[in-house]
mmCIF file of all heavy atoms in Angstrom:
data_model
loop_
_atom_site.group_PDB
_atom_site.id
_atom_site.type_symbol
_atom_site.label_atom_id
_atom_site.label_comp_id
_atom_site.label_asym_id
_atom_site.label_seq_id
_atom_site.Cartn_x
_atom_site.Cartn_y
_atom_site.Cartn_z
ATOM 1 N N LEU A 415 -1.503 -0.167 1.870
ATOM 2 C CA LEU A 415 -1.785 0.486 0.603
ATOM 3 C C LEU A 415 -3.275 0.551 0.349
ATOM 4 O O LEU A 415 -3.828 1.587 -0.079
ATOM 5 C CB LEU A 415 -1.058 -0.327 -0.501
ATOM 6 C CG LEU A 415 -0.723 0.349 -1.818
ATOM 7 C CD1 LEU A 415 -0.123 1.725 -1.631
ATOM 8 C CD2 LEU A 415 0.216 -0.529 -2.615
ATOM 9 N N VAL A 416 -3.960 -0.557 0.618
ATOM 10 C CA VAL A 416 -5.407 -0.572 0.367
ATOM 11 C C VAL A 416 -6.132 0.413 1.313
ATOM 12 O O VAL A 416 -6.967 1.181 0.912
ATOM 13 C CB VAL A 416 -5.963 -2.011 0.628
ATOM 14 C CG1 VAL A 416 -7.513 -1.992 0.583
ATOM 15 C CG2 VAL A 416 -5.430 -2.942 -0.501
ATOM 16 N N SER A 417 -5.700 0.447 2.558
ATOM 17 C CA SER A 417 -6.271 1.346 3.540
ATOM 18 C C SER A 417 -6.093 2.763 3.077
ATOM 19 O O SER A 417 -7.042 3.576 3.182
ATOM 20 C CB SER A 417 -5.633 1.132 4.909
ATOM 21 O OG SER A 417 -6.172 2.086 5.808
ATOM 22 N N TYR A 418 -4.946 3.096 2.552
ATOM 23 C CA TYR A 418 -4.648 4.434 2.052
ATOM 24 C C TYR A 418 -5.558 4.782 0.858
ATOM 25 O O TYR A 418 -6.057 5.925 0.767
ATOM 26 C CB TYR A 418 -3.188 4.506 1.679
ATOM 27 C CG TYR A 418 -2.771 5.712 0.897
ATOM 28 C CD1 TYR A 418 -2.666 7.005 1.468
ATOM 29 C CD2 TYR A 418 -2.481 5.619 -0.494
ATOM 30 C CE1 TYR A 418 -2.267 8.114 0.702
ATOM 31 C CE2 TYR A 418 -2.084 6.683 -1.216
ATOM 32 C CZ TYR A 418 -1.966 7.935 -0.673
ATOM 33 O OH TYR A 418 -1.621 8.990 -1.411
ATOM 34 N N LEU A 419 -5.709 3.840 -0.016
ATOM 35 C CA LEU A 419 -6.568 4.123 -1.188
ATOM 36 C C LEU A 419 -8.036 4.352 -0.759
ATOM 37 O O LEU A 419 -8.725 5.148 -1.345
ATOM 38 C CB LEU A 419 -6.456 2.998 -2.190
ATOM 39 C CG LEU A 419 -5.099 2.826 -2.868
ATOM 40 C CD1 LEU A 419 -5.089 1.665 -3.848
ATOM 41 C CD2 LEU A 419 -4.685 4.092 -3.587
ATOM 42 N N LEU A 420 -8.492 3.616 0.216
ATOM 43 C CA LEU A 420 -9.876 3.735 0.725
ATOM 44 C C LEU A 420 -10.078 5.077 1.337
ATOM 45 O O LEU A 420 -11.069 5.714 1.127
ATOM 46 C CB LEU A 420 -10.204 2.624 1.673
ATOM 47 C CG LEU A 420 -10.309 1.239 1.086
ATOM 48 C CD1 LEU A 420 -10.451 0.195 2.181
ATOM 49 C CD2 LEU A 420 -11.481 1.138 0.120
ATOM 50 N N ASN A 421 -9.099 5.500 2.079
ATOM 51 C CA ASN A 421 -9.192 6.818 2.785
ATOM 52 C C ASN A 421 -7.783 7.305 3.042
ATOM 53 O O ASN A 421 -7.063 6.707 3.890
ATOM 54 C CB ASN A 421 -10.025 6.691 4.048
ATOM 55 C CG ASN A 421 -10.369 8.075 4.581
ATOM 56 O OD1 ASN A 421 -9.739 9.102 4.220
ATOM 57 N ND2 ASN A 421 -11.371 8.138 5.412
ATOM 58 N N THR A 422 -7.389 8.377 2.441
ATOM 59 C CA THR A 422 -6.003 8.850 2.545
ATOM 60 C C THR A 422 -5.653 9.364 3.935
ATOM 61 O O THR A 422 -4.513 9.574 4.265
ATOM 62 C CB THR A 422 -5.755 9.981 1.550
ATOM 63 O OG1 THR A 422 -6.754 11.003 1.746
ATOM 64 C CG2 THR A 422 -5.761 9.512 0.151
ATOM 65 N N VAL A 423 -6.675 9.639 4.765
ATOM 66 C CA VAL A 423 -6.442 10.292 6.024
ATOM 67 C C VAL A 423 -5.917 9.278 7.079
ATOM 68 O O VAL A 423 -6.421 8.160 7.119
ATOM 69 C CB VAL A 423 -7.773 10.972 6.569
ATOM 70 C CG1 VAL A 423 -7.517 11.657 7.881
ATOM 71 C CG2 VAL A 423 -8.261 11.966 5.521
ATOM 72 N N ASP A 424 -4.963 9.720 7.858
ATOM 73 C CA ASP A 424 -4.556 8.997 9.085
ATOM 74 C C ASP A 424 -4.042 7.556 8.864
ATOM 75 O O ASP A 424 -4.339 6.671 9.615
ATOM 76 C CB ASP A 424 -5.771 8.875 10.054
ATOM 77 C CG ASP A 424 -6.001 10.151 10.814
ATOM 78 O OD1 ASP A 424 -5.060 10.911 10.849
ATOM 79 O OD2 ASP A 424 -7.073 10.320 11.359
ATOM 80 N N ASN A 425 -3.340 7.344 7.802
ATOM 81 C CA ASN A 425 -2.712 6.045 7.634
ATOM 82 C C ASN A 425 -1.311 6.060 8.220
ATOM 83 O O ASN A 425 -0.451 6.664 7.687
ATOM 84 C CB ASN A 425 -2.641 5.638 6.143
ATOM 85 C CG ASN A 425 -4.024 5.134 5.697
ATOM 86 O OD1 ASN A 425 -4.309 3.955 5.944
ATOM 87 N ND2 ASN A 425 -4.812 5.963 5.102
ATOM 88 N N SER A 426 -1.145 5.399 9.308
ATOM 89 C CA SER A 426 0.168 5.416 9.964
ATOM 90 C C SER A 426 0.870 4.129 9.603
ATOM 91 O O SER A 426 0.313 3.236 8.977
ATOM 92 C CB SER A 426 0.029 5.525 11.488
ATOM 93 O OG SER A 426 -0.511 4.299 11.968
ATOM 94 N N ASN A 427 2.143 4.018 10.032
ATOM 95 C CA ASN A 427 2.884 2.765 9.816
ATOM 96 C C ASN A 427 2.536 1.759 10.826
ATOM 97 O O ASN A 427 3.071 0.648 10.780
ATOM 98 C CB ASN A 427 4.363 3.066 9.846
ATOM 99 C CG ASN A 427 4.777 3.943 8.692
ATOM 100 O OD1 ASN A 427 4.261 3.783 7.575
ATOM 101 N ND2 ASN A 427 5.724 4.839 8.922
ATOM 102 N N ASP A 428 1.683 2.112 11.813
ATOM 103 C CA ASP A 428 1.360 1.210 12.862
ATOM 104 C C ASP A 428 0.151 0.300 12.436
ATOM 105 O O ASP A 428 -0.970 0.773 12.264
ATOM 106 C CB ASP A 428 0.992 1.996 14.158
ATOM 107 C CG ASP A 428 0.833 1.056 15.315
ATOM 108 O OD1 ASP A 428 1.819 0.620 15.863
ATOM 109 O OD2 ASP A 428 -0.329 0.685 15.601
ATOM 110 N N LEU A 429 0.432 -0.941 12.323
ATOM 111 C CA LEU A 429 -0.594 -1.891 11.830
ATOM 112 C C LEU A 429 -1.780 -1.916 12.754
ATOM 113 O O LEU A 429 -2.909 -1.938 12.279
ATOM 114 C CB LEU A 429 0.027 -3.294 11.747
ATOM 115 C CG LEU A 429 -0.738 -4.360 11.008
ATOM 116 C CD1 LEU A 429 0.208 -5.410 10.404
ATOM 117 C CD2 LEU A 429 -1.770 -5.051 11.914
ATOM 118 N N GLY A 430 -1.543 -1.873 14.018
ATOM 119 C CA GLY A 430 -2.686 -1.856 15.006
ATOM 120 C C GLY A 430 -3.612 -0.718 14.789
ATOM 121 O O GLY A 430 -4.807 -0.857 14.844
ATOM 122 N N ALA A 431 -3.014 0.470 14.551
ATOM 123 C CA ALA A 431 -3.859 1.669 14.363
ATOM 124 C C ALA A 431 -4.665 1.522 13.079
ATOM 125 O O ALA A 431 -5.859 1.900 13.029
ATOM 126 C CB ALA A 431 -2.958 2.898 14.317
ATOM 127 N N VAL A 432 -4.062 1.052 12.017
ATOM 128 C CA VAL A 432 -4.755 0.891 10.755
ATOM 129 C C VAL A 432 -5.880 -0.156 10.886
ATOM 130 O O VAL A 432 -7.006 0.052 10.416
ATOM 131 C CB VAL A 432 -3.788 0.549 9.593
ATOM 132 C CG1 VAL A 432 -4.554 0.292 8.320
ATOM 133 C CG2 VAL A 432 -2.777 1.693 9.419
ATOM 134 N N ALA A 433 -5.542 -1.235 11.544
ATOM 135 C CA ALA A 433 -6.582 -2.312 11.759
ATOM 136 C C ALA A 433 -7.767 -1.734 12.482
ATOM 137 O O ALA A 433 -8.897 -2.002 12.119
ATOM 138 C CB ALA A 433 -5.968 -3.484 12.521
ATOM 139 N N LYS A 434 -7.463 -0.929 13.505
ATOM 140 C CA LYS A 434 -8.541 -0.378 14.315
ATOM 141 C C LYS A 434 -9.416 0.550 13.495
ATOM 142 O O LYS A 434 -10.674 0.572 13.658
ATOM 143 C CB LYS A 434 -7.917 0.428 15.444
ATOM 144 C CG LYS A 434 -8.771 0.476 16.685
ATOM 145 C CD LYS A 434 -7.982 0.945 17.882
ATOM 146 C CE LYS A 434 -8.910 1.082 19.094
ATOM 147 N NZ LYS A 434 -8.146 1.461 20.280
ATOM 148 N N MET A 435 -8.830 1.294 12.547
ATOM 149 C CA MET A 435 -9.610 2.168 11.627
ATOM 150 C C MET A 435 -10.658 1.370 10.860
ATOM 151 O O MET A 435 -11.681 1.895 10.495
ATOM 152 C CB MET A 435 -8.666 2.799 10.610
ATOM 153 C CG MET A 435 -8.033 4.064 11.052
ATOM 154 S SD MET A 435 -6.821 4.667 9.823
ATOM 155 C CE MET A 435 -7.655 4.334 8.288
ATOM 156 N N HIS A 436 -10.312 0.100 10.637
ATOM 157 C CA HIS A 436 -11.270 -0.730 9.889
ATOM 158 C C HIS A 436 -12.020 -1.709 10.757
ATOM 159 O O HIS A 436 -12.548 -2.701 10.336
ATOM 160 C CB HIS A 436 -10.482 -1.441 8.790
ATOM 161 C CG HIS A 436 -9.833 -0.529 7.827
ATOM 162 N ND1 HIS A 436 -10.588 0.144 6.856
ATOM 163 C CD2 HIS A 436 -8.558 -0.059 7.721
ATOM 164 C CE1 HIS A 436 -9.762 0.936 6.156
ATOM 165 N NE2 HIS A 436 -8.566 0.836 6.679
ATOM 166 N N GLY A 437 -12.057 -1.386 12.088
ATOM 167 C CA GLY A 437 -12.955 -2.123 12.999
ATOM 168 C C GLY A 437 -12.359 -3.356 13.606
ATOM 169 O O GLY A 437 -13.003 -4.097 14.312
ATOM 170 N N TYR A 438 -11.049 -3.568 13.316
ATOM 171 C CA TYR A 438 -10.426 -4.794 13.923
ATOM 172 C C TYR A 438 -9.613 -4.395 15.132
ATOM 173 O O TYR A 438 -8.639 -3.624 15.056
ATOM 174 C CB TYR A 438 -9.490 -5.427 12.861
ATOM 175 C CG TYR A 438 -8.874 -6.746 13.262
ATOM 176 C CD1 TYR A 438 -9.476 -7.950 12.900
ATOM 177 C CD2 TYR A 438 -7.729 -6.839 14.034
ATOM 178 C CE1 TYR A 438 -8.955 -9.158 13.248
ATOM 179 C CE2 TYR A 438 -7.177 -8.044 14.408
ATOM 180 C CZ TYR A 438 -7.782 -9.221 14.041
ATOM 181 O OH TYR A 438 -7.266 -10.404 14.370
ATOM 182 N N GLN A 439 -10.032 -4.897 16.302
ATOM 183 C CA GLN A 439 -9.497 -4.381 17.553
ATOM 184 C C GLN A 439 -8.374 -5.165 18.154
ATOM 185 O O GLN A 439 -7.816 -4.799 19.171
ATOM 186 C CB GLN A 439 -10.663 -4.348 18.606
ATOM 187 C CG GLN A 439 -11.931 -3.684 18.095
ATOM 188 C CD GLN A 439 -11.954 -2.231 18.470
ATOM 189 O OE1 GLN A 439 -11.149 -1.752 19.287
ATOM 190 N NE2 GLN A 439 -12.889 -1.522 17.851
ATOM 191 N N GLY A 440 -8.075 -6.324 17.534
ATOM 192 C CA GLY A 440 -7.233 -7.311 18.192
ATOM 193 C C GLY A 440 -5.715 -7.086 18.249
ATOM 194 O O GLY A 440 -5.002 -7.931 18.705
ATOM 195 N N VAL A 441 -5.220 -5.930 17.776
ATOM 196 C CA VAL A 441 -3.774 -5.719 17.753
ATOM 197 C C VAL A 441 -3.379 -4.504 18.596
ATOM 198 O O VAL A 441 -3.958 -3.454 18.446
ATOM 199 C CB VAL A 441 -3.261 -5.440 16.275
ATOM 200 C CG1 VAL A 441 -1.715 -5.506 16.251
ATOM 201 C CG2 VAL A 441 -3.854 -6.427 15.315
ATOM 202 N N GLU A 442 -2.440 -4.687 19.458
ATOM 203 C CA GLU A 442 -1.875 -3.611 20.258
ATOM 204 C C GLU A 442 -1.146 -2.669 19.372
ATOM 205 O O GLU A 442 -0.537 -3.053 18.383
ATOM 206 C CB GLU A 442 -0.874 -4.148 21.294
ATOM 207 C CG GLU A 442 -1.453 -5.136 22.243
ATOM 208 C CD GLU A 442 -2.049 -4.449 23.477
ATOM 209 O OE1 GLU A 442 -2.155 -3.230 23.510
ATOM 210 O OE2 GLU A 442 -2.450 -5.211 24.438
#
Side-chain angles (χ1 to χ4, degrees):
Chain A
L415 202 45
V416 171
S417 176
Y418 167 74
L419 294 179
L420 290 172
N421 191 341
T422 52
V423 180
D424 280 342
N425 279 280
S426 71
N427 293 324
D428 187 80
L429 192 153
V432 175
K434 208 165 178 178
M435 273 174 40
H436 298 284
Y438 187 95
Q439 309 268 347
V441 192
E442 300 272 7

